């Protein structure tokens, strides 16, 4: 099974590869380049091959990098079976998501794609355009969360990181069941959907969503949790869809 994992930055990419390769790192292979200057760094486990791409910060960069990698794979006759948006993010601690925990998305939602009106925010779908949500395969999301000890819920994609209690409360009100906030998942999901490839989002929590307090961030703990989550990833794929591990396509 071929899996493309898209992160924002190199530290997240390396944490994913460390988990995919196992304790001895024996599965890591030489990187290769894609058009646009992207570099794919592969890691091959006994049952699951991961190609890991650090595509940049934000939904636009994530969508561009994902689309490039998916198109290159399809043209080479070796399409991916699954795309995973992975990395660290903010957790809604009021929803019981502590720093260092794992969140797996059952909904990948664009939180700020729409229009601001005198009556409040209106999603782009209510304006008659596009979509604001992608829903990963439930069996896969549940299996990944169970294997990694994580929680399942909504992960919102934002272009501006939340920095106030008021904004955190607004997001929680508009998105019941939201557990985490990140900046790339919806872009990855849009690119995957355009090519009919299944998508998943996995986040590990480095900080609480709300007032910015850099001293309270635990980036190292979140990256270690990301490595741990990908060590259990092949087990989760097998549990969700049998030995072949293939998820349902959208």
């Amino acid at each position: 099974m071929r899996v493309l994992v898209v992160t924002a930055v190199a530290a997240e990419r390396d944490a994913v590869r460390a988990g995919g390769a196992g304790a001895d790192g024996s599965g890591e292979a030489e990187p290769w380049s894609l058009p646009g200057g992207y570099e794919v760094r592969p890691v091959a486990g006994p049952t699951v091959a991961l190609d890991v791409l650090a595509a940049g910060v934000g939904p636009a960069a994530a969508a561009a990098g994902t689309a490039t990698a998916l198109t290159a794979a399809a043209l080479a006759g070796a399409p991916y079976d699954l795309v995973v948006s992975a990395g660290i993010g903010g957790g809604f601690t009021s929803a019981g998501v502590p720093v260092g925990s794992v969140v797996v998305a059952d909904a990948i939602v664009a939180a700020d794609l729409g229009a601001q009106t005198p009556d409040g925010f209106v999603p782009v779908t209510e304006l008659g355009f596009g979509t604001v949500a992608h829903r990963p395969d439930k069996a896969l999301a549940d299996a990944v969360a169970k294997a990694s000890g994580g929680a399942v819920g909504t992960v919102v994609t934002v272009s501006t990181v939340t920095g106030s209690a008021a904004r955190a409360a607004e997001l929680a009100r508009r998105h019941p069941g939201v557990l985490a906030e990140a900046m790339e998942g919806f872009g990855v999901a849009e690119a995957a959907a355009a090519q009919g490839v299944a998508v998943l989002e996995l986040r590990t929590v480095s900080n609480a969503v709300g007032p910015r307090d850099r001293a309270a961030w635990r980036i190292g703990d979140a990256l270690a949790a990301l490595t741990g989550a990908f060590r259990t990833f092949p087990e989760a794929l097998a549990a969700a869809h049998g030995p072949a591990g293939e998820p349902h396509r959208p």
Side-chain angles (χ1 to χ4, degrees):
M1 180 182 188
R2 293 196 74 207
V3 180
L4 174 66
V5 183
V6 182
T7 71
V9 298
E12 296 167 323
R13 176 199 65 202
D14 294 344
V16 169
R17 291 185 81 220
D24 62 359
S26 59
E28 295 188 2
E30 290 298 313
W32 71 83
S33 297
L34 294 172
Y38 298 106
E39 183 181 71
V40 176
R41 297 202 177 186
V43 54
T47 59
V48 179
L50 304 178
D51 288 344
V52 192
L53 169 67
V57 175
T66 303
T68 299
L70 291 178
T71 299
L75 290 174
Y80 288 102
D81 302 296
L82 173 67
V83 183
V84 183
S85 177
I88 66 176
F92 286 80
T93 53
S94 60
V97 183
V99 171
S101 62
V102 177
V103 173
V104 182
D106 62 4
I108 302 169
V109 178
D112 49 15
L113 182 60
Q116 197 68 44
T117 76
D119 298 320
F121 179 80
V122 178
V124 72
T125 48
E126 294 185 21
L127 301 174
F129 305 101
T131 185
V132 293
H134 294 276
R135 298 192 178 275
D137 179 61
K138 184 178 187 306
L140 179 58
D142 288 346
V144 170
K146 181 178 179 181
S148 62
V152 179
T154 297
V155 178
V156 292
T157 299
V158 296
S159 295
T160 302
V161 172
T162 297
S164 69
R167 171 67 170 164
E170 178 192 357
L171 288 174
R173 176 183 57 79
R174 286 204 281 115
H175 304 285
V178 67
L179 297 184
E181 166 188 281
M183 299 183 75
E184 292 79 34
F186 187 77
V188 173
E190 283 280 271
Q195 299 201 32
V197 181
V199 70
L200 188 72
E201 183 168 10
L202 187 155
R203 295 286 164 182
T204 54
V205 177
S206 59
N207 58 280
V209 175
R212 288 174 66 81
D213 179 7
R214 292 295 297 268
W217 290 11
R218 298 291 181 265
I219 292 176
D221 291 344
L223 291 173
L226 191 61
T227 295
F230 274 90
R231 285 197 179 118
T232 67
F233 195 65
E235 167 194 341
L237 288 179
H241 301 291
E246 289 201 18
H248 298 303
R249 306 218 170 217

